[in-house]
Amino acid sequence: MARRKKGNAVHGWLVLDKPFEMTSTRAVGILKRLFNAQKVGHAGTLDPLATGILPIAFGEATKTVSFAVDGEKVYRFAVRWGTETATDDAEGQVVATGEGRPTVADIEALLPRFTGEIMQVPPQFSAIKVDGERAYALARDGEEVTLEARPVVIDELRLLEMPNEDVAIFEARCGKGTYVRAIARDMGRALGCRGHVIELRRMRVGPFAEEESFSLEEIEEAVEAGEDLSAFLRPVEMALGEILEINVSPSDAADLVQGRSILIRGRDAPVLGGVAYAISKGQIVALGEIEKGALHPTRVFNFGG
């Protein structure tokens, strides 16, 4: 006899505005408790000292996390010139200093070097694994961590303002794996004055934007008031963004859920190809690949208990 899962079968995405000084793992734990949910995860770790968008996946939405993680990110961040730290943010010890301060013209002239596909060395204090261990764990133990440069894509990097000569505020649109702390560190080195992030906010992750986000306080108040928490959730397929959506009949949906391929009907079927997801009666039933006029399921969804 199958053991009953603890908690409720909650499915969908919640766009959390993560508070300052909270880990992403801690945020997931709190929401799992508030929703009494069986399964919860997140799409893309956000540093404790950062605030902003942390997409939270409940239940079957966890099957779409990889698509959310691969989505474009938008960050707004402040850099303090004059010092570089071990963590590339305000938490770490100062490891280098620099004289002089850059002008707006100096910074504007530098930005093209940090736009497009560039090679970036991740911060020593990052979640990247080195010989099976997280880099930040090794660095905290005092070990010298050497990380290889890797390609990242920064679609746009803009200087928004300079409140004073020591601080500059930027906005970046970038792809998966880009470290904003490394951008600040490398700009400081290139400008000859050193620098580190003192404030960081993530404003977007793929289709998840701050305009539709909720704070933990809002959710906790709803729990205390006995309100229906489903109002905080977005559909599972929200993470799939621009992926092709195909409406299928209930009989085709039943085949997909059982792992069987279905033929794509309609005059455009022969030219369709690539990744797609199937919807039946307003609910996602499967993710798959279209090939030779058929949808082959690679992941199916079960919204039962």
Side-chain angles (χ1 to χ4, degrees), residues 7-263:
N8 299 323
V10 181
H11 306 288
W13 283 95
L14 185 150
V15 188
L16 177 69
D17 189 339
K18 188 193 79 67
F20 183 67
E21 292 189 326
M22 178 178 287
T23 67
S24 299
T25 300
R26 174 64 176 153
V28 166
I30 291 172
L31 288 167
K32 185 174 184 179
R33 174 179 56 80
L34 291 174
F35 279 78
N36 189 29
Q38 292 175 358
K39 189 174 184 180
V40 189
H42 66 74
T45 299
L46 197 56
D47 290 342
L49 298 187
T51 65
I53 302 309
L54 181 64
I56 304 292
F58 289 84
E60 293 298 274
T62 58
K63 295 177 179 178
T64 65
V65 162
S66 61
F67 293 90
V69 171
D70 288 345
E72 181 181 74
K73 317 294 192 303
V74 177
Y75 296 92
R76 186 165 292 172
F77 60 103
V79 179
R80 182 177 299 281
W81 308 120
T83 54
E84 181 176 320
T85 69
T87 57
D88 300 318
D89 61 20
E91 190 177 37
Q93 293 183 335
V94 173
V95 294
T97 60
E99 299 298 325
R101 295 294 181 267
T103 64
V104 170
D106 292 333
I107 296 171
E108 295 282 5
L110 180 69
L111 296 183
R113 287 173 51 183
F114 291 87
T115 306
E117 182 173 308
I118 66 170
M119 297 300 291
Q120 184 185 76
V121 177
Q124 286 193 55
F125 285 79
S126 64
I128 293 174
K129 286 192 174 181
V130 179
D131 296 328
E133 297 287 337
R134 298 291 185 186
Y136 63 75
L138 296 173
R140 284 172 182 162
D141 288 340
E143 294 189 35
E144 186 70 28
V145 179
T146 303
L147 299 174
E148 297 295 325
R150 57 183 187 170
V152 298
V153 175
I154 301 174
D155 296 300
E156 185 179 27
L157 180 61
R158 295 189 297 137
L159 173 64
L160 300 181
E161 60 176 306
M162 288 184 66
N164 55 63
E165 68 172 9
D166 293 319
V167 176
I169 299 174
F170 298 88
E171 185 170 298
R173 285 195 303 114
C174 51
K176 178 182 179 181
T178 304
Y179 281 90
V180 171
R181 287 178 290 142
I183 297 176
R185 176 200 66 204
D186 293 342
M187 284 196 299
R189 290 176 179 178
L191 291 165
C193 63
R194 304 293 178 143
H196 67 274
V197 168
I198 56 171
E199 191 175 319
L200 172 63
R201 178 169 179 79
R202 188 159 66 188
M203 303 169 67
R204 176 179 286 275
V205 177
F208 304 101
E210 63 179 347
E211 293 81 12
E212 53 198 359
S213 66
F214 298 98
S215 68
L216 280 176
E217 288 78 8
E218 289 177 282
I219 301 166
E220 288 169 341
E221 288 173 4
V223 170
E224 290 177 6
E227 296 176 10
D228 182 3
L229 298 186
S230 64
F232 292 100
L233 299 178
R234 303 301 303 275
V236 167
E237 61 270 21
M238 185 178 179
L240 302 180
E242 302 300 317
I243 293 174
L244 178 66
E245 174 188 316
I246 299 174
N247 279 285
V248 301
S249 66
S251 60
D252 280 345
D255 282 336
L256 288 169
V257 170
Q258 293 299 318
R260 294 188 290 268
S261 300
I262 63 168
L263 292 176

